[in-house]
């Protein structure tokens, strides 16, 4: 951090002198934090209650609207999966949010054992492989624990997309840079909730400060048995699930 | 955006099972197949050259300089596919200015610069220094200046200076071998260290990359030596050719053993990913892995070389069979790179579905661009051979 700040300063100085105008853009870091916001006072996380999700897909719509995510079926910051576990051991997974090709008919026959929905998004790992592999440090962990991408610095090599075990990243076709869920960083630093949490009609998504003893998230963490996705990879996700089925990856 | 969305609509039906939605678009295309293929050739050609200088394999002297020039020509083009594939190639310099030290990819610039500047260019300079001085004296045209500049205005042609050159070359080669290992082993590490991807994540990856690099480098120089010598209407030095084939034979065996070990290890451990990886191999990679990489790229050439050894075939037949073998090996190694890079992106990280890859014909990362990038090193090599002939210059020109 020290080194980058130093480089940033020296490069800006040079640019002001009119020497390195071109390189100056590289020195700008996308800081979305409003004035007076102290990131050291927060550590954000999300809780997802699988049993409360009804697969309506409002979160997906809200996310695309809020964050200008391409309106096609190949770029998502969050999406919802439906699992159908069958008697014979078969597992059928589909995306069920609006615009998906999957059928939205209720499934229930003698072969069905259990069905459930799983909202997915960036897990905001505490040990993020995407940050580790980024060659230029364009993707980074903020002090409050959110993983962000600096679109002015990203060179579009896509190594982070490869490194993410959850398929949470995509190359934004509008900017040709890596993109992903930010927990709606521009909202949460103003004290608002992420768009997906705000619109969820069943409160399946719970957002808050992990360390705060009085937040809804703290209550969620107290009242439920929790699990994370792909724990064997040691990514230490800050998105935690309750009632998570073993078939979910 | 519209064309991208359209492309997606075409791509989606080709997937089977469930894939994460962001996986419909393959992040690394054909160009990223070309990159490890080219750097592998560089490392392999250099290691062939160092067999002469460090291990004193006298028979290989005729291809020593050709190997060095081949390594240089391919090294000069190797970063191009990477650069062209970036979303923002104009920002690529950031890798040098603000490298993220935990990133394997960030080391690229330093490994590359080290190998180019400290190893290859230096060794080539010391190899050619004395001749450059002699050639510049024999020339009258603009080439006189070119040779003067290339010799860095060195003028000493004494025996002591030649002895120093020789010593320097030996030292550089000794540093060069681990550097060549580093160059390609590092490329293997870029893939091998991605824990999210079970097809890539393997500690063997850098070593497999290295040996396949040695295989491809020796095969390429053998091919070039045979073609160029025939074009110059000279006799092929059979002792040299047999020796190269013998090194090729052993490296293919090591390469195959390593890949087989990797295969057996995965099958035996049979982890969570084994089902989807089996489907990947049986459905998506059957031709490129089973047929091209293993059968045509390893078994047939190995069979050919065993045949040559057992039957003691005559010179003409040997040449023909070697030629066929090195072309097959080259094809096989390209398939190897394909199977790693594209294969590793053909299954979902949900382990529940397979994707498809269809390279475009045109475009920045299409088939035509790939072809251009594969031909370019040969054009660079032609220029290098013209300026720095790797064999004795024809009569009447200098000397």
């Amino acid at each position: 951090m020290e080194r980058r700040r130093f480089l940033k300063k020296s490069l800006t100085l040079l640019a002001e002198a009119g020497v390195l105008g071109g390189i100056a853009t590289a020195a700008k870091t996308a800081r979305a934090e409003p004035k007076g916001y102290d990131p050291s006072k927060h550590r954000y996380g999300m809780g997802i209650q699988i049993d409360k999700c009804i697969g309506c897909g409002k979160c997906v719509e809200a996310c695309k609207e809020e964050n200008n995510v391409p309106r096609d079926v190949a770029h998502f910051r969050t999406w919802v999966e439906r699992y159908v576990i069958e008697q014979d051991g078969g597992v059928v997974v589909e995306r069920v949010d609006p615009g998906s090709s999957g059928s939205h008919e209720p499934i229930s026959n003698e072969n069905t054992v259990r069905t459930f929905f799983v909202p997915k998004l960036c897990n905001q790992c505490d040990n993020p492989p995407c940050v580790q592999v980024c060659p230029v440090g364009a993707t980074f962990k903020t002090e409050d624990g959110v993983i962000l991408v600096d679109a002015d610095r990203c060179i579009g090599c896509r190594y982070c997309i490869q490194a993410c075990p959850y398929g949470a990243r995509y190359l934004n076709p509008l900017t040709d840079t890596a993109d992903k869920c930010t927990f709606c960083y521009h909202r949460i630093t103003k004290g608002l909730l992420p768009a997906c949490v705000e619109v969820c009609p069943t409160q399946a998504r719970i957002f808050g400060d992990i360390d705060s003893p009085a937040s809804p998230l703290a209550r969620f963490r107290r009242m439920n048995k929790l699990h994370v996705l792909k724990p064997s990879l040691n990514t230490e996700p800050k998105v935690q699930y309750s009632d998570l089925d073993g078939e979910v990856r | 955006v519209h064309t991208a969305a359209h492309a997606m609509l075409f791509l989606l039906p080709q997937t089977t099972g469930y894939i994460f939605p962001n996986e419909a678009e393959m992040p690394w295309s054909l160009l990223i197949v070309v990159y490890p293929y080219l750097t592998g050739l560089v490392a392999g050609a250099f290691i062939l050259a160092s067999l002469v200088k460090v291990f004193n394999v006298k028979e290989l002297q005729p291809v020593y300089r050709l190997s060095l020039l081949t390594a240089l020509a391919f090294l000069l083009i190797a970063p191009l596919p990477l650069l062209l594939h970036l979303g923002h190639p104009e920002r690529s310099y950031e890798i040098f200015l603000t490298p993220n030290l935990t990133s394997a990819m960030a080391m690229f610039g330093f490994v590359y610069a080290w190998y180019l500047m400290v190893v290859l260019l230096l060794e080539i300079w010391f190899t050619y220094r004395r001749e450059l001085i002699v050639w510049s004296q024999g020339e009258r045209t603009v080439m006189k200046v070119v040779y003067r500049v290339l010799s860095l205005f060195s003028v000493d042609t004494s025996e002591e200076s030649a002895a120093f050159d020789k010593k320097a070359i030996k030292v550089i080669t000794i540093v060069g071998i681990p550097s060549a290992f580093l160059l390609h082993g590092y490329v293997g590490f870029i893939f091998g260290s991605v824990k999210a991807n079970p097809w890539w994540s393997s500690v063997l990856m850098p070593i497999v990359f290295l040996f396949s690099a040695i295989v491809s480098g020796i095969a390429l120089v053998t091919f070039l030596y045979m073609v160029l010598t025939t074009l110059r209407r000279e006799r092929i030095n059979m002792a040299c050719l047999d020796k190269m084939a013998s090194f090729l034979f052993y490296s293919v065996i090591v390469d195959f053993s390593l890949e087989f070990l990797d295969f057996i290890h995965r099958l035996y451990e049979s982890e969570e990913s084994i089902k989807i990886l089996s489907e990947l191999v049986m459905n998506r990679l059957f031709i490129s892995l089973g047929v091209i990489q293993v059968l045509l790229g390893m078994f047939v050439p190995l069979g050919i070389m065993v045949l040559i050894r057992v039957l003691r075939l005559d010179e003409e037949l040997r040449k023909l069979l070697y030629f066929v073998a090195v072309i097959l090996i080259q094809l096989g190694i390209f398939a190897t790179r394909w199977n790693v890079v594209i294969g590793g992106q053909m299954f979902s990280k949900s382990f529940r579905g397979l994707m498809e890859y269809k390279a475009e014909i045109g475009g920045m990362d299409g088939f035509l661009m790939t072809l251009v990038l594969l031909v370019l090193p040969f054009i660079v090599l032609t220029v290098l051979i013209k300026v720095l002939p790797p064999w004795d210059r024809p009569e009447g020109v200098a000397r």
Side-chain angles (χ1 to χ4, degrees), chain B residues 7-16 284 354 356:
Chain B
M8 289 307 102
L9 286 179
F10 276 104
L11 276 175
L12 283 178
Q14 289 159 354
T15 63
T16 53
R284 294 290 196 263
L354 296 175
E356 185 74 88

Side-chain angles (χ1 to χ4, degrees), chain B residues 132-133 135-154 387:
Chain B
L132 285 171
I133 299 168
W135 293 341
S136 79
Q137 286 161 357
E139 291 279 353
R140 304 216 173 280
T141 53
V142 65
M143 287 311 285
K144 189 182 180 78
V145 185
V146 170
Y147 285 134
R148 286 290 291 133
V149 173
L150 285 180
S151 70
L152 301 177
F153 304 101
S154 155
V387 179

